[in-house]
Amino acid sequence: MSFNLIQLFLIGLTYLLLLFGIAWATEKGFIPKRVVRHPLTYVLSLGVYASAWAFYGSVGLAYEFGYGFLAYYLGVCGAFLLAPVLMLPILRITRAYQLSSLADLFAFRYRSQIAGTLVTLFTLMGTLALLSLQIQAVANSIQILAPGSPQNILGFGFCLVIIAFAFLFGTRGTASGENNDGLVVSIAFESVIKLAALLAIGYYSVSEVFGGFNGLDDWLQTQGPRVTAFEQTIEDAPWRALLLIFFASALVMPHMFHMSFTENQNPQNLFKATWGLPLYLLLISLPIPPILWAGITLNAPTIPEYYTLGISLSAQSPSLSIIAFIGGLSAASGMIIVTTLALAGMVLNHIVLPIYPPKGTDNIYSWLNWVKRGLIALIIFLSYLFYLVTSDTVSLSLLGILAFSAMLQLLPGVLAVLYWPIGNRNGVISGMITGLVIWALTMLSPLLFGFDVIDVFGMLIDYRLHRDQWHIYTFLALTVNVTVFVIVSMLTKTSRAEEAAAQACSVDTLSRPQRRELVASSSSEFKECLSKPLGAHVANREVERALNELELPAIEYRPYALRRLRDQIEANLSGLMGPTIAQDIVKRNLSYKQLTPSGAGQDIHFVERSLEDYQSRLTGLAAELDSLRRYHRQTLQNLPIAACSLGNDLEILMWNQAMTVLTGVSSDQVIGSTLCSIPAPWAGLLDEFAQGDQSHYHKKRVDLQGQPHWFNLHKSQIAGPQNSEGGLVILLEDQTENQLLEEKLIHSSRLASVGRFAAGVAHEIGNPVTGIACLAQNMKLETDDKEMLSTAQQIIDQTKRISNILQSLMNFSRSGNHSQTNVHEPANIYRCIQEATNLLSLSDLSSNVEYQVNCEDNLTVIGDEQRLVQVFINLLSNARDASPEGSMIRITGKIDGYSAIIEVSDQGSGIPKDQLGHVFEPFYTTKDPNKGTGLGLSLVYSIVEEHYGQIQVISPTDEQTGRGTTVKLSLPAHQPTNDIIDEPVL
């Protein structure tokens, strides 16, 4: 049974197009987000670890090492079981600083572009063997199913198809730092396919070849010990070496790093992977022994590594052959796509960009995408060349061991990132170079050149790579690597940048950056500064992206927020162009101002935010201290006195709730900004007080919305033995109510003194008024002239009014404003207004104005009609004096519930707002000298209060012209009652 080449090509192309269709559907949103972001999808995407070596090479490992093949699965499972202490910290660092590869991690931690470049080169060297393994597996599988096919051409064709797939989809969205959801879903799908294929072949092996598990057991009892290696005991050293290299692969292999960290959308997914990935690998490893035993039983026409295909050929089953072919193709293609995508990013960030940065490019994203596509093609062709060199001499198992043992040399540097902050760039670079040189001499060169390099120099040492010796070379290279790393790090100096990076990467350390001010003072200036290296389009997009991620406003100016924005932009550019290039761009274009002589304080906002994120991991005394910190912070926040704290640079560090209520400015608006940038009038008040010499301000007047307020301010220095950073704490007390009460007391005292003075004046005036009244009485008795009698009567009426006024002054001086000396009864307001206008019309001044009365005839209140006439005479005379010639004075009256509302409005120039509070004070007047005494409105005020009413002065009446004054009276309305007496019904 055999296939022709075209059939296999169409089958493979159809499968790859299916993968592309799944990725495309994911990007277009046809697959629901709950499926795309489901933990199961993430766990299955980690199945990319099971490459063609798992599908084919594991059977060969089982043939040689028996159960030793399980090391391939157990090693990586051990790494994921240690995820809380090993992988989660790396995930935290990669997410915080947008590190997309192992080279980025090394460049960031050791602050060295050389370290990142060396990791890239070493990863490229080690991974070429693994990529060539995938090409070899696919080419050999096609040749097995279609005998006579040109093997090298098949490998080249497979590379072209994978490159096309990568061009169509592999780099979509990755240049802008976005997650490639389509890639994750398609890799998860191919993980399901290869698992289903292996299980199907394993099921066929058990059920059809052995006739079930009983038949398999019988075969193992009789034939198994003679023809399999499962009865052999693998030596401890090779077993440990296998476990170690596969353990390290979870951290250092580019395809595992990419899927574990770069494409991880949710840290919780990693917890699911601690049991999900081991379960998947358990399922995919179960069919390996039955497939091996079935191949031996059937005497399959292939070497053990390709028994998955040999069984189908022996069984003459085309469907089983297609399943096996698709499974192997799936395993190989998924691994190549992810690995080349990750490697292309590493080469771009750490080899291409440092040599050839994109200058004069309008769209960096497009440029980066095309360069990355070119690098993917280059890497695949290099892998193809490696395949041409090794395909005839090296097995799949040996290629896998070669690749994984090379990448093992990066493990010390990775572990030092988390747990050895003393390690520096000199040590890690020296260790990596030493370890890789030993690996190249002892393992790579014999494989490629077929001779011992050391023998060329006259040393008779045979170290050629044999099955039983590879672990010795692996441990030797790793031991020398670690030794050189430690010694060089201990003997050389670590830079400050490395110390800061080590602190940021350390598992148990919280970094505390300095609180420094940037040269760029707003987010708009950020865009201008970044336009030089990135171009205007990219600069605007990156700044807006960082603002959205931090949930900051489009226009930001607060120093603390700008520092966060700078860090976020650096992190985003790191994901786009690598940490070294990002640091260089940000450092040159978003620089800090020079330190002041007093230095910069520590950024406690950053520490607060970090502690909030770190809270769930605190235990013991650290958790208790954090609870105490939270208690003290909440105490300050809930303090009933308005308080804020400032740094030495007057940056606001704390703004409690009482301060928010008092000022109307929320803490989110001002935390991290300087005093001078907060809203008025608080900026001027607090800035002047903070920089002044006085420690206390008493009753500082501040106008808020046109109304005066008074505040007490107190400040104190924070610096001391327990706090070397310095700063101020400011307290604010609202004294407005106390000030108003004091003014009322002063006003009442003034009124009392004026009342006593007025009582004396009234006593002196009473005698001549009595004499005038007597003369008027005599005038009435001595004449019969009607005009004279009318005049005499008016004189008598006015003297009575004067007497009433004097009596009011006497009552005010003795018993206050509520002296009840008059009987209150229904009083007609309309009649009072008419009498007042008639009396005022007797004056020559009244000829210049007109009185317009708009009042109901039956408008009645409870009060003394004579005293109410006095009220309207005073109000109307004031309105007449203030009105220009020919103007109109309007008097309106209406019933509003239980009150009568009367308004007197003039068209004068109005009363200044700062004088409205004094108009009811005795002897206060705005009239010219000799034109008013200032007693009118004070008497009106007394009479209105005596009637249990209210009076209000509104000025100006017209806000647009700023003219006119309205006096509004509110008096108790008379409520008539109709008493109905029901007569008894007879």
Side-chain angles (χ1 to χ4, degrees):
M1 183 200 72
S2 63
F3 296 85
N4 62 55
L5 188 59
I6 296 177
Q7 289 175 327
L8 294 179
F9 176 78
L10 291 177
I11 292 172
L13 183 62
T14 301
Y15 172 75
L16 291 177
L17 288 176
L18 176 62
L19 279 185
F20 173 76
I22 293 173
W24 179 82
T26 303
E27 293 296 324
K28 293 298 182 181
F30 298 139
I31 299 179
K33 282 293 183 183
R34 66 177 182 273
V35 175
V36 175
R37 302 294 171 86
H38 197 278
L40 179 60
T41 303
Y42 172 74
V43 171
L44 288 175
S45 70
L46 295 176
V48 71
Y49 173 79
S51 63
W53 195 23
F55 199 86
Y56 296 123
S58 291
V59 182
L61 278 178
Y63 184 80
E64 293 187 32
F65 297 108
Y67 288 111
F69 87 96
L70 292 175
Y72 177 74
Y73 305 98
L74 295 177
V76 72
C77 290
F80 275 88
L81 289 174
L82 295 175
V85 295
L86 189 62
M87 305 191 73
L88 275 177
I90 295 178
L91 178 62
R92 173 183 62 84
I93 298 169
T94 55
R95 288 172 64 90
Y97 303 103
Q98 295 292 314
L99 308 177
S100 57
S101 67
L102 191 64
D104 287 354
L105 182 64
F106 272 65
F108 173 81
R109 162 59 180 86
Y110 300 106
R111 286 296 191 263
S112 171
Q113 179 62 65
I114 296 177
T117 303
L118 286 176
V119 169
T120 301
L121 292 174
F122 295 159
T123 303
L124 187 60
M125 291 172 56
T127 311
L128 285 179
L130 194 60
L131 292 174
S132 68
L133 183 154
Q134 316 304 315
I135 299 173
Q136 180 178 333
V138 174
N140 289 343
S141 63
I142 295 176
Q143 192 176 44
I144 290 172
L145 294 176
S149 301
Q151 184 176 359
N152 294 341
I153 295 177
L154 292 176
F156 185 76
F158 174 68
C159 292
L160 290 179
V161 173
I162 293 298
I163 290 172
F165 180 86
F167 276 21
L168 287 173
F169 175 75
T171 58
R172 182 174 299 179
T174 57
S176 59
E178 301 170 357
N179 289 95
N180 199 332
D181 290 336
L183 178 68
V184 173
V185 175
S186 60
I187 296 301
F189 175 78
E190 70 90 12
S191 296
V192 174
I193 293 298
K194 63 192 176 191
L195 173 62
L198 273 178
L199 290 176
I201 298 171
Y203 174 77
Y204 180 86
S205 300
V206 174
S207 62
E208 299 297 329
V209 176
F210 294 106
F213 287 103
N214 292 331
L216 175 61
D217 185 62
D218 293 339
W219 183 89
L220 290 175
Q221 295 294 330
T222 58
Q223 304 294 326
R226 294 188 299 106
V227 296
T228 69
F230 280 83
E231 295 298 324
Q232 299 177 11
T233 302
I234 188 171
E235 297 180 7
D236 289 341
W239 173 258
R240 291 170 183 170
L242 286 172
L243 284 177
L244 182 59
I245 63 175
F246 295 132
F247 174 87
S249 66
L251 301 174
V252 299
M253 296 305 291
H255 56 295
M256 290 303 295
F257 191 97
H258 187 82
M259 300 309 298
S260 298
F261 307 119
T262 306
E263 298 295 347
N264 191 344
Q265 297 280 356
N266 185 354
Q268 296 301 318
N269 289 342
L270 206 53
F271 287 104
K272 303 292 192 304
T274 57
W275 59 266
L277 183 62
L279 177 60
Y280 175 83
L281 294 179
L282 170 64
L283 293 175
I284 208 170
S285 66
L286 286 178
I288 300 300
I291 291 173
L292 173 62
W293 298 328
I296 295 173
T297 301
L298 295 174
N299 195 21
T302 62
I303 61 176
E305 289 177 333
Y306 294 100
Y307 272 177
T308 50
L309 292 169
I311 291 173
S312 63
L313 293 177
S314 300
Q316 296 292 313
S317 173
S319 58
L320 193 64
S321 298
I322 293 175
I323 290 174
F325 173 69
I326 291 178
L329 177 66
S330 176
S333 59
M335 190 273 173
I336 291 178
I337 290 168
V338 177
T339 302
T340 53
L341 180 61
L343 273 176
M346 296 171 67
V347 174
L348 173 65
N349 292 343
H350 299 280
I351 296 178
V352 176
L353 287 176
I355 298 174
Y356 183 71
K359 296 182 179 179
T361 303
D362 294 334
N363 191 341
I364 291 180
Y365 304 120
S366 177
W367 185 88
L368 292 174
N369 262 331
W370 279 109
V371 173
K372 187 174 286 188
R373 290 187 178 113
L375 292 173
I376 289 175
L378 177 62
I379 292 168
I380 292 178
F381 279 124
L382 288 176
S383 303
Y384 176 72
L385 293 177
F386 195 95
Y387 154 75
L388 292 178
V389 174
T390 60
S391 59
D392 296 331
T393 58
V394 184
S395 66
L396 296 183
S397 300
L398 202 56
L399 277 175
I401 290 175
L402 180 69
F404 282 98
S405 60
M407 297 303 296
L408 178 64
Q409 305 307 313
L410 302 179
L411 183 61
V414 175
L415 297 179
V417 168
L418 301 177
Y419 296 106
W420 200 49
I422 300 176
N424 58 27
R425 66 172 73 113
N426 299 319
V428 74
I429 291 173
S430 302
M432 283 193 301
I433 293 176
T434 304
L436 263 297
V437 167
I438 296 175
W439 169 82
L441 292 177
T442 58
M443 301 182 72
L444 182 63
S445 63
L447 200 91
L448 295 179
F449 307 111
F451 61 86
D452 302 341
V453 176
I454 297 181
D455 282 347
V456 175
F457 299 97
M459 299 182 65
L460 301 177
I461 301 177
D462 185 10
Y463 59 89
R464 280 174 293 183
L465 187 61
H466 298 292
R467 189 190 72 175
D468 298 330
Q469 297 174 353
W470 67 267
H471 60 276
I472 299 175
Y473 311 140
T474 300
F475 283 129
L476 173 65
L478 182 63
T479 302
V480 176
N481 181 351
V482 173
T483 303
V484 172
F485 181 19
V486 172
I487 292 175
V488 174
S489 296
M490 298 292 290
L491 296 179
T492 57
K493 185 178 181 181
T494 303
S495 66
R496 289 187 177 181
E498 285 184 272
E499 291 176 353
Q503 190 178 33
C505 294
S506 179
V507 174
D508 298 319
T509 305
L510 287 173
S511 60
R512 194 176 185 187
Q514 288 185 327
R515 191 178 66 249
R516 297 176 60 185
E517 189 174 356
L518 291 163
V519 174
S521 58
S522 68
S523 54
S524 300
E525 292 187 22
F526 271 45
K527 296 178 181 179
E528 296 176 5
C529 295
L530 291 175
S531 296
K532 300 175 183 178
L534 300 177
H537 171 70
V538 177
N540 289 338
R541 181 172 175 178
E542 289 299 323
V543 173
E544 290 172 2
R545 174 188 169 193
L547 288 169
N548 291 334
E549 289 173 344
L550 296 174
E551 299 181 352
L552 296 175
I555 303 298
E556 183 58 78
Y557 57 88
R558 294 176 294 167
Y560 166 60
L562 293 179
R563 289 194 297 271
R564 290 184 62 197
L565 182 62
R566 180 186 188 272
D567 293 341
Q568 188 63 41
I569 290 173
E570 180 178 339
N572 292 344
L573 290 179
S574 176
L576 184 67
M577 309 171 74
T580 305
I581 302 296
Q583 291 164 14
D584 182 63
I585 290 175
V586 171
K587 185 177 180 180
R588 285 189 291 107
N589 297 279
L590 296 176
S591 58
Y592 288 103
K593 292 181 179 179
Q594 291 187 353
L595 289 175
T596 59
S598 59
Q602 300 298 318
D603 196 342
I604 65 173
H605 307 295
F606 184 88
V607 178
E608 285 280 342
R609 197 172 71 251
S610 300
L611 285 173
E612 292 296 329
D613 297 337
Y614 204 75
Q615 180 188 5
S616 60
R617 287 177 280 171
L618 295 176
T619 58
L621 182 59
E624 294 298 327
L625 289 174
D626 185 63
S627 299
L628 185 62
R629 175 190 66 85
R630 293 172 183 276
Y631 174 78
H632 287 159
R633 184 185 62 180
Q634 199 61 36
T635 300
L636 289 173
Q637 286 294 325
N638 295 340
L639 202 67
I641 298 177
C644 65
S645 62
L646 315 171
N648 280 331
D649 53 357
L650 299 185
E651 182 177 323
I652 299 174
L653 307 180
M654 187 273 294
W655 188 273
N656 71 356
Q657 295 176 6
M659 199 73 160
T660 298
V661 174
L662 182 63
T663 62
V665 181
S666 67
S667 59
D668 293 338
Q669 294 178 261
V670 297
I671 289 293
S673 61
T674 56
L675 276 180
C676 59
S677 62
I678 65 177
W682 309 108
L685 174 67
L686 295 177
D687 188 61
E688 175 190 353
F689 180 58
Q691 300 193 55
D693 297 330
Q694 299 183 26
S695 298
H696 306 279
Y697 275 175
H698 293 286
K699 294 185 179 178
K700 183 73 173 180
R701 176 170 172 165
V702 178
D703 290 330
L704 300 176
Q705 299 179 350
Q707 299 297 325
H709 289 71
W710 290 265
F711 298 96
N712 288 346
L713 289 87
H714 314 277
K715 71 179 179 183
S716 178
Q717 294 287 336
I718 301 178
Q722 302 298 325
N723 189 351
S724 59
E725 296 179 10
L728 292 172
V729 60
I730 295 178
L731 302 181
L732 229 67
E733 295 180 281
D734 190 355
Q735 296 292 311
T736 303
E737 292 187 5
N738 294 339
Q739 180 67 21
L740 294 177
L741 287 174
E742 289 179 4
E743 290 185 357
K744 287 183 179 181
L745 289 174
I746 295 172
H747 180 66
S748 299
S749 177
R750 187 185 304 150
L751 287 177
S753 61
V754 170
R756 290 190 294 270
F757 171 74
V761 173
H763 180 74
E764 297 298 328
I765 294 175
N767 291 330
V769 169
T770 302
I772 294 172
C774 293
L775 292 174
Q777 292 286 351
N778 292 337
M779 185 184 297
K780 288 180 66 176
L781 296 174
E782 294 175 354
T783 181
D784 294 329
D785 188 347
K786 292 183 179 180
E787 291 184 2
M788 292 295 290
L789 290 173
S790 175
T791 301
Q793 185 59 44
Q794 290 182 9
I795 292 173
I796 293 172
D797 292 341
Q798 295 306 312
T799 55
K800 288 181 179 179
R801 186 167 291 108
I802 293 173
S803 298
N804 289 335
I805 292 172
L806 295 176
Q807 186 62 43
S808 296
L809 289 175
M810 296 292 291
N811 292 337
F812 180 75
S813 65
R814 290 195 297 267
S815 57
N817 292 348
H818 301 290
S819 175
Q820 300 296 328
T821 59
N822 299 285
V823 177
H824 287 185
E825 56 187 13
N828 188 280
I829 292 297
Y830 181 79
R831 186 165 56 245
C832 295
I833 295 173
Q834 288 294 336
E835 184 175 350
T837 55
N838 290 335
L839 289 173
L840 290 175
S841 63
L842 298 175
S843 171
D844 295 337
L845 298 176
S846 296
S847 60
N848 297 329
V849 297
E850 181 181 350
Y851 300 99
Q852 181 182 16
V853 181
N854 185 13
C855 180
E856 299 176 1
D857 296 345
N858 58 350
L859 183 60
T860 306
V861 300
I862 301 297
D864 187 338
E865 192 167 310
Q866 187 64 31
R867 294 172 65 76
L868 291 175
V869 171
Q870 184 178 350
V871 167
F872 289 113
I873 288 176
N874 280 288
L875 295 180
L876 293 173
S877 63
N878 287 341
R880 177 198 63 193
D881 296 340
S883 299
E885 294 186 3
S887 61
M888 181 179 294
I889 299 173
R890 293 181 174 84
I891 307 102
T892 61
K894 62 180 180 179
I895 294 293
D896 184 8
Y898 293 97
S899 299
I901 307 300
I902 305 99
E903 294 183 353
V904 178
S905 302
D906 61 46
Q907 298 177 351
S909 58
I911 301 173
K913 289 187 177 181
D914 59 345
Q915 298 183 25
L916 284 175
H918 304 283
V919 294
F920 297 115
E921 295 178 2
F923 305 113
Y924 176 83
T925 181
T926 59
K927 298 179 181 179
D928 295 334
N930 301 324
K931 291 189 177 180
T933 63
L935 284 172
L937 283 180
S938 65
L939 289 175
V940 168
Y941 184 83
S942 298
I943 295 172
V944 170
E945 283 208 335
E946 179 184 320
H947 284 74
Y948 302 101
Q950 296 178 353
I951 183 170
Q952 180 183 3
V953 178
I954 304 171
S955 183
T957 302
D958 190 341
E959 292 289 347
Q960 295 182 350
T961 61
R963 299 183 61 82
T965 300
T966 298
V967 180
K968 183 178 180 180
L969 301 178
S970 177
L971 298 170
H974 172 61
Q975 303 293 331
T977 57
N978 298 322
D979 297 332
I980 301 175
I981 303 175
D982 296 334
E983 296 182 358
V985 179
L986 299 177

